[in-house]
Amino acid sequence: MQELAARLGEPAVRVETETALLQLLRSRKLEAEVVEVLCIFWMAAKGHSYSPVAKLAKSIPKPSLLSDLVVASLGLSVQAGGTDLKEVPEDFEIPDDFDGVQGVDLPRIFWTSMSRLETYSGLPFVRQMAFEWTENRAAYPDAPYQGDAGHFIRPLGDGFIGQLSTRTALRAISAYLRTMAVAKHFWKMPPEFADQESLLALPLHPTLALLKPRRPDWFPAPTDFDGGTDVIEASFRDLVCRVQAVRPGDELIAFSSPIVMAMGRCVEVSIVRWSQAADSNIADADLAAHLEGFWTHGGILSSAAPEPLSTTTLLAFPHLNELMYENCKAWPLAVPLDFDRLGYLQHDLYPWRLFLPALTGSNRPKLSPREGQLEIKVDEQVVADLCYWNAGWGAARPIQFGGNCGTALISRGTDYREGVASTNVKVRSFYLWQVKTLQRNSSNEELGETLSSGIMFV
């Protein structure tokens, strides 16, 4: 999608690319398919100075509330739609295949959202989505489920999860979008609320859509983390030093990435910088074990957006008490981003590749794309940036890993961690680290996991 968007910004191939994409758009049979193609035009407009043609809005065969938002954000007139909508019949029964795909071919979040709205309103949201699912089967009568994901995953052995955008998922997401349109047109759901709920069906997070994969020169070597705790800690110290050599005066706040991805062995490393005040009740030797839960349920950073499809994301500034682990008087300087405006094509990033600064006591930070990376600003001053790269390829990844990609959060100076300076509390810094090693002797075996963790004072 990024490469096609870039072609729309190149004068030499713009007309050719535009013609092909408009033809593709007109051939789409599901609402979610339409949104995916429209997102290519949106990315071109936001990242490559592309000006969409007026006939783009007239080339949409399956409009939805979400496609209307994308078209409006491109400065085009939204075409009237909704003429083919109808409410679920009273005698309709939810088919087994609708329940069967939830949590299997697509995340349960769409069904959960429908169930929540149904509980709140008393209206048949779940049955309406199931009805739309049954109706859109006719879009692909010969192959409503399209293919077997296991065909790509089974040869890898046990313990892998697919990274495929399936027709089943697109049908279910389209059913979700049509249900939101029914709620707006027939059940009088407020338009702003209906638009907000439709954002759940975004294929790409508007702020993350322009991230470009660029592996940094200081990326670890494949053998850096082979060995015991002392070797691993030495490798992490070397990693921190290499970042400082490239970025003098800046600090590595967080890093999470696979560094080895092979059929018989995979290694994923993660590190996050922390601060600690005096009077801890936990000994330094026990600190890593005490903070082990951070890697699975360490909290998230709330976000919002000034406009539904704004490329800027507004971050919360949590209070220090919300971040601090009371027994050890320590708090992380980065936590994962929340799931607001989650892109279903970007699951590799969520949640453990999106560590962002936990800026306590500051004005609301802004997250925005710049030259393929993300910048975090406070009062228009950049305090940190996040880079992203591909770390593994293929249609699947080990289920124990966060994704086939990696990210690093690096500060601009040290202002990002000076939010507690006014409290006159003396603090020290350390890194909490974790290394996952997956290994097997045969390609038919499941990958066995070895987990190492620790802290490193700096």
Side-chain angles (χ1 to χ4, degrees):
M1 294 171 75
Q2 286 184 337
E3 294 302 322
L4 288 168
R7 286 177 62 89
L8 285 173
E10 298 175 9
V13 293
R14 178 179 299 153
V15 174
E16 176 189 2
T17 306
E18 189 176 64
T19 300
L21 286 174
L22 286 172
Q23 182 178 352
L24 176 67
L25 178 60
R26 296 186 192 103
S27 70
R28 299 304 81 195
K29 300 179 180 181
L30 297 169
E31 287 76 6
E33 292 177 335
V34 165
V35 172
E36 288 186 358
V37 178
L38 287 177
C39 280
I40 298 173
F41 289 95
W42 180 89
M43 291 162 67
K46 300 300 180 182
H48 302 282
S49 302
Y50 168 72
S51 297
V53 292
K55 61 182 175 180
L56 173 63
K58 300 177 182 178
S59 301
I60 298 175
K62 289 288 184 177
S64 63
L65 298 182
L66 188 52
S67 67
D68 289 350
L69 287 175
V70 178
V71 169
S73 73
L74 291 172
L76 301 176
S77 299
V78 175
Q79 304 297 305
T83 55
D84 62 338
L85 296 173
K86 55 185 176 181
E87 294 182 79
V88 56
E90 292 186 6
D91 59 350
F92 175 78
E93 295 185 5
I94 296 177
D96 292 339
D97 64 344
F98 175 76
D99 289 329
V101 301
Q102 309 302 324
V104 178
D105 293 282
L106 79 159
R108 289 188 64 86
I109 191 170
F110 298 98
W111 184 93
T112 301
S113 177
M114 295 285 92
S115 180
R116 172 178 53 83
L117 290 171
E118 185 168 311
T119 300
Y120 175 78
S121 66
L123 294 166
F125 278 89
V126 174
R127 292 179 67 248
Q128 183 70 44
M129 182 178 171
F131 173 69
E132 301 293 352
W133 159 266
T134 303
E135 291 287 289
N136 70 24
R137 181 188 181 99
Y140 294 98
D142 296 328
Y145 306 105
Q146 189 198 27
D148 174 19
H151 171 80
F152 299 95
I153 302 171
R154 280 191 295 269
L156 298 175
D158 295 333
F160 286 82
I161 185 171
Q163 303 180 129
L164 305 168
S165 180
T166 66
R167 180 171 294 165
T168 302
L170 291 171
R171 283 182 55 208
I173 295 169
S174 298
Y176 175 88
L177 284 171
R178 288 185 64 84
T179 301
M180 298 314 304
V182 167
K184 177 182 176 181
H185 286 281
F186 295 116
W187 302 340
K188 308 305 180 185
M189 177 182 281
E192 297 81 3
F193 185 67
D195 288 346
Q196 185 65 33
E197 292 294 308
S198 295
L199 295 179
L200 187 62
L202 277 170
L204 303 169
H205 190 298
T207 300
L208 308 179
L210 302 179
L211 268 175
K212 297 287 285 186
R214 295 171 187 164
R215 184 180 297 197
D217 294 336
W218 47 260
F219 188 79
T223 58
D224 277 0
F225 295 89
D226 293 350
T229 300
D230 291 342
V231 173
I232 292 174
E233 183 172 321
S235 296
F236 275 121
R237 288 193 183 278
D238 185 54
L239 174 63
V240 172
C241 289
R242 289 204 302 271
V243 173
Q244 290 177 338
V246 176
R247 300 270 296 266
D250 300 339
E251 296 174 347
L252 179 65
I253 309 174
F255 175 96
S256 181
S257 176
I259 61 168
V260 177
M261 292 291 278
M263 288 297 292
R265 185 169 180 268
C266 302
V267 180
E268 179 186 66
V269 302
S270 302
I271 187 170
V272 175
R273 188 166 179 135
W274 289 60
S275 291
Q276 185 182 34
D279 302 324
S280 170
N281 295 323
I282 306 298
D284 289 352
D286 301 324
L287 193 53
H290 181 71
L291 298 176
E292 185 177 5
F294 171 76
W295 299 112
T296 54
H297 51 270
I300 58 174
L301 192 63
S302 299
S303 69
E307 298 290 338
L309 296 181
S310 173
T311 57
T312 296
T313 296
L314 304 177
L315 305 177
F317 51 95
H319 193 275
L320 183 59
N321 291 340
E322 300 174 23
L323 295 170
M324 183 178 290
Y325 286 64
E326 189 62 33
N327 284 339
C328 62
K329 304 296 182 184
W331 61 96
L333 298 180
V335 291
L337 183 66
D338 68 4
F339 297 98
D340 188 54
R341 302 200 296 171
L342 166 72
Y344 65 78
L345 294 180
Q346 297 172 312
H347 283 176
D348 261 17
L349 289 168
Y350 291 92
W352 302 110
R353 297 293 187 261
L354 290 174
F355 280 102
L356 296 174
L359 301 167
T360 58
S362 64
N363 292 328
R364 193 156 200 180
K366 295 180 181 179
L367 177 69
S368 56
R370 179 176 174 81
E371 298 179 354
Q373 298 187 344
L374 298 180
E375 286 186 342
I376 299 91
K377 293 183 178 180
V378 176
D379 295 331
E380 300 307 315
Q381 178 183 353
V382 180
V383 297
D385 55 66
L386 182 139
C387 61
Y388 149 84
W389 57 87
N390 291 314
W393 298 95
R397 62 172 170 82
I399 197 169
Q400 299 98 323
F401 279 10
N404 272 350
C405 61
T407 58
L409 178 67
I410 303 175
S411 73
R412 301 277 185 94
T414 60
D415 289 348
Y416 79 98
R417 58 180 172 89
E418 294 178 355
V420 296
S422 60
T423 63
N424 297 318
V425 175
K426 185 177 181 179
V427 300
R428 62 177 179 171
S429 296
F430 66 87
Y431 284 100
L432 179 68
W433 58 261
Q434 182 183 80
V435 176
K436 287 182 181 178
T437 302
L438 309 180
Q439 199 153 353
R440 63 185 177 183
N441 297 321
S442 167
S443 61
N444 295 322
E445 296 178 0
E446 186 172 352
L447 288 162
E449 177 181 329
T450 302
L451 187 64
S452 303
S453 60
I455 61 168
M456 179 180 76
F457 286 98
V458 291

